[in-house]
Amino acid sequence: MKNNGISINTYGNKNNPSIIFVHGFVYDSAMWLKQITYLSNKYFCVAYDLRGLGNSDVGDGQYTMDSHVDDLISVITFLGLNKPILVGLSMGGYVSLRAIEREESLFSKLVLFDTRSDADTDQIKIKRAANVKQINTEGLDPFLNGFIPNCFSKKFREEHFEQFESFLLSAKRTSPIGVKGCLISMQGRSSTTQYLPGIKIPVLIFCGEHDILSPVEEMEGMAANIQTAEFVVVPDAGHISPVENHTFINKKLDKFLANN
Ligand code: MLT
């Protein structure tokens, strides 16, 4: 279904507690299928595509981190979700942390994967500008051929080559305008670090042991700033840990969600 240009998929019984999943750049809600398959008998699972990515509308390509949060809140309102558990990976984590900073009372728990609370450094801002320029001058594919291999561990790429390829091919079907809009929204986001010590809801944080985009030491530091957080390193995984080691993650996630 679609609401306000956002493509939304729901799974399970609406009377169960709800979970809303926010995917990472430059993927779509399909990245959560292993978690949804595992959890949708007990939870009402909602996975939507960020504006500009997947099946959501691209619009004018002018997005901000706050407009992504507005979209998240619109999905919650549209479906009438009562204090969903919020789950976000990487860019989805940026959206989630800003949503918690704006309206923590909307959510019951937070689960973060492979993300950070700090804003882009100047060096990363310059890299994003170069990414936009590359897409403008060479097209989307060369950018994705460089970016996507860094998202997965070497082991995953070798042992699950077809799955890795299907992520790459699916990303290549994305609108360049949507991709550039997301890059610029990440470049312009504010830091949520100063707010971390104020978070009251339970938080679970996962980081793939081989994540080179949001490395373990950095995420460990972020988790240490959140009084309610538990930090878990995911073995045999890179940046897209819920895909790369779903067996490990699903068990931990299930336990965390069951605790009151
Ligand atoms: C993501 O996985 O969402 C991106 O790596 C985030 C980023 O580029 O900062």
Side-chain angles (χ1 to χ4, degrees):
M1 77 186 90
K2 245 187 191 181
N3 177 57
N4 184 28
I6 295 295
S7 172
I8 308 167
N9 296 299
T10 66
Y11 308 81
N13 184 336
K14 203 170 170 198
N15 295 322
N16 284 331
S18 54
I19 309 177
I20 186 155
F21 292 91
V22 194
H23 63 83
F25 173 85
V26 57
Y27 304 99
D28 61 28
S29 55
M31 71 174 292
W32 298 112
L33 283 178
K34 293 287 186 191
Q35 283 67 48
I36 289 167
T37 306
Y38 194 80
L39 295 168
S40 56
N41 61 336
K42 286 193 271 186
Y43 297 90
F44 181 58
C45 294
V46 177
Y48 72 97
D49 294 340
L50 288 165
R51 194 173 296 274
L53 302 178
N55 291 319
S56 285
D57 289 1
V58 172
D60 61 6
Q62 311 282 303
Y63 324 130
T64 62
M65 200 45 67
D66 273 79
S67 71
H68 289 303
V69 173
D70 293 340
D71 285 338
L72 165 66
I73 293 174
S74 291
V75 174
I76 292 171
T77 309
F78 172 68
L79 294 174
L81 305 180
N82 179 28
K83 283 190 172 276
I85 296 146
L86 178 59
V87 181
L89 181 138
S90 199
M91 178 181 171
Y94 307 159
V95 176
S96 302
L97 282 166
R98 178 67 185 132
I100 293 285
E101 183 180 6
R102 270 173 53 174
E103 288 210 57
E104 182 173 345
S105 63
L106 280 181
F107 306 97
S108 57
K109 289 182 181 178
L110 172 65
V111 182
L112 296 170
F113 289 90
D114 305 277
T115 190
R116 61 171 53 82
S117 56
D118 288 340
D120 279 3
T121 59
D122 283 352
Q123 199 184 5
I124 297 174
K125 283 182 183 164
I126 290 167
K127 192 166 145 234
R128 304 247 194 238
N131 295 153
V132 170
K133 186 172 178 180
Q134 182 182 29
I135 296 168
N136 283 336
T137 53
E138 299 170 34
L140 187 58
D141 288 8
F143 164 67
L144 294 175
N145 290 337
F147 175 74
I148 292 197
N150 287 333
C151 292
F152 295 89
S153 66
K154 187 165 175 285
K155 184 167 186 249
F156 183 84
R157 279 184 273 132
E158 285 171 0
E159 291 180 7
H160 301 273
F161 185 70
E162 277 180 22
Q163 221 183 330
F164 166 72
E165 278 279 294
S166 80
F167 275 101
L168 184 59
L169 288 177
S170 150
K172 286 182 176 176
R173 289 193 289 271
T174 310
S175 151
I177 293 176
V179 172
K180 288 187 287 181
C182 287
L183 281 167
I184 291 168
S185 69
M186 289 192 281
Q187 187 192 45
R189 76 187 190 280
S190 54
S191 166
T192 50
T193 302
Q194 65 288 352
Y195 181 69
L196 299 180
I199 294 179
K200 300 275 183 306
I201 58 173
V203 181
L204 178 61
I205 303 182
F206 290 103
C207 181
E209 68 168 329
H210 303 301
D211 187 343
I212 56 171
L213 299 179
S214 39
V216 170
E217 313 75 63
E218 188 186 341
M219 287 204 69
E220 208 166 19
M222 180 181 90
N225 260 327
I226 306 176
Q227 287 166 26
T228 54
E230 180 188 343
F231 180 62
V232 178
V233 175
V234 184
D236 290 330
H239 188 59
I240 311 295
S241 59
V243 171
E244 295 177 74
N245 195 347
H246 52 85
T247 313
F248 176 89
I249 281 171
N250 288 349
K251 283 195 197 125
K252 295 262 180 210
L253 194 53
D254 196 17
K255 199 166 160 217
F256 171 76
L257 298 182
N259 285 341
N260 286 317

